[in-house]
């Protein structure tokens, strides 16, 4: 019998991020505490730009956006938000959505699988994802449980389970 396998990836559904951004923009335009402060959130090329006339307000805009992401099932670990920056009279926060597992992070995950996972499980880095294979499906499920129990600073999903 052939080996069973699955891939570990870090992907974000762009449409869900877009929906969360649109919901946040609608809430910001309607909320009383954001009236007259120039608060806004929008795409700026590949980054998300949040603006307001005070540092507290721009942080509140970020908080609204984060709550919308969570409601849409997107991990906040995928959101890389910078610090508020003063630009003229406006405070701005630039945020980006991180996708893919970096080589360093993939090596960390592979080392954890080798050291703590069941014997006979192989992990190999393939670009920005990690392929985990074994003869036993039970071992693969044990690896998934092991990785879910760890706290990484990036989001993980398990796909292509065969």
């Amino acid at each position: 019998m052939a080996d069973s396998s699955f891939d570990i990836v870090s992907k974000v559904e762009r449409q869900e991020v877009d929906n969360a951004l649109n919901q946040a923009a609608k809430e910001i335009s309607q909320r009383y505490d954001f009236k007259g402060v120039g608060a806004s959130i929008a795409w700026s090329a590949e980054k998300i730009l949040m603006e307001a006339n005070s540092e507290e307000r721009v942080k509140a805009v970020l908080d609204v956006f984060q709550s919308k992401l969570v409601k849409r099932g997107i991990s906040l670990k995928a959101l890389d938000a910078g610090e508020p920056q003063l630009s003229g009279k406006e405070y701005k926060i630039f945020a980006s959505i991180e996708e893919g597992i970096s080589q360093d992070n993939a090596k960390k995950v592979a080392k954890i699988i080798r050291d703590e996972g069941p014997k006979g499980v192989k992990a190999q880095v393939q670009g920005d994802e990690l392929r985990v294979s074994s003869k036993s499906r039970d071992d693969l499920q044990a690896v998934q449980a092991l990785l879910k129990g760890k706290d990484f600073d990036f989001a993980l999903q398990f796909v292509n389970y065969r």
Side-chain angles (χ1 to χ4, degrees), residues 88-154:
K89 293 182 178 178
E90 296 272 307
Y91 279 88
K92 297 181 178 187
I93 294 179
F94 285 98
S96 60
I97 302 295
E98 301 291 321
E99 286 195 302
I101 302 174
S102 70
Q103 290 292 323
D104 292 341
N105 289 337
K107 287 177 184 172
K108 285 181 198 171
V109 173
K111 182 170 174 25
I112 289 172
I113 292 171
R114 266 196 320 276
D115 295 347
E116 301 176 32
K119 300 292 177 227
V121 175
K122 297 185 289 290
Q124 57 207 102
V125 179
Q126 296 180 337
D128 61 351
E129 56 186 45
L130 198 67
R131 165 82 36 99
V132 180
S133 58
S134 173
K135 294 207 180 302
S136 165
R137 285 178 173 247
D138 291 342
D139 288 349
L140 292 179
Q141 289 174 343
V143 168
Q144 286 183 356
L146 169 74
L147 295 177
K148 284 178 184 174
K150 298 285 182 195
D151 186 31
F152 296 106
D153 56 351
F154 52 96

Side-chain angles (χ1 to χ4, degrees), residues 2-152:
D3 284 4
S4 299
S5 68
F6 67 89
D7 294 335
I8 301 172
V9 297
S10 182
K11 289 196 180 358
V12 176
E13 191 73 39
R14 170 81 181 212
Q15 186 62 48
E16 291 296 326
V17 174
D18 211 30
N19 291 342
L21 187 126
N22 291 336
Q23 288 177 341
K26 184 175 181 183
E27 181 173 324
I28 289 164
S29 71
Q30 293 175 344
R31 264 180 45 178
Y32 178 76
D33 58 335
F34 286 122
K35 294 280 187 228
V37 296
S40 68
I41 181 170
W43 285 105
S44 171
E46 285 298 308
K47 292 190 178 287
I48 298 161
L49 171 64
M50 292 162 261
E51 296 179 301
N53 67 358
S54 73
E55 190 172 348
E56 292 78 32
R57 290 281 179 242
V58 78
K59 285 182 177 177
V61 171
L62 175 61
D63 191 48
V64 168
F65 181 54
Q66 287 175 334
S67 71
K68 299 300 179 191
L69 286 174
V70 168
K71 284 183 181 174
R72 292 214 151 270
I74 297 171
S75 172
L76 292 181
K77 293 177 181 178
L79 180 69
D80 182 23
E83 290 299 311
Q85 300 168 341
L86 184 60
S87 172
K89 293 182 178 178
E90 296 272 307
Y91 279 88
K92 297 181 178 187
I93 294 179
F94 285 98
S96 60
I97 302 295
E98 301 291 321
E99 286 195 302
I101 302 174
S102 70
Q103 290 292 323
D104 292 341
N105 289 337
K107 287 177 184 172
K108 285 181 198 171
V109 173
K111 182 170 174 25
I112 289 172
I113 292 171
R114 266 196 320 276
D115 295 347
E116 301 176 32
K119 300 292 177 227
V121 175
K122 297 185 289 290
Q124 57 207 102
V125 179
Q126 296 180 337
D128 61 351
E129 56 186 45
L130 198 67
R131 165 82 36 99
V132 180
S133 58
S134 173
K135 294 207 180 302
S136 165
R137 285 178 173 247
D138 291 342
D139 288 349
L140 292 179
Q141 289 174 343
V143 168
Q144 286 183 356
L146 169 74
L147 295 177
K148 284 178 184 174
K150 298 285 182 195
D151 186 31
F152 296 106

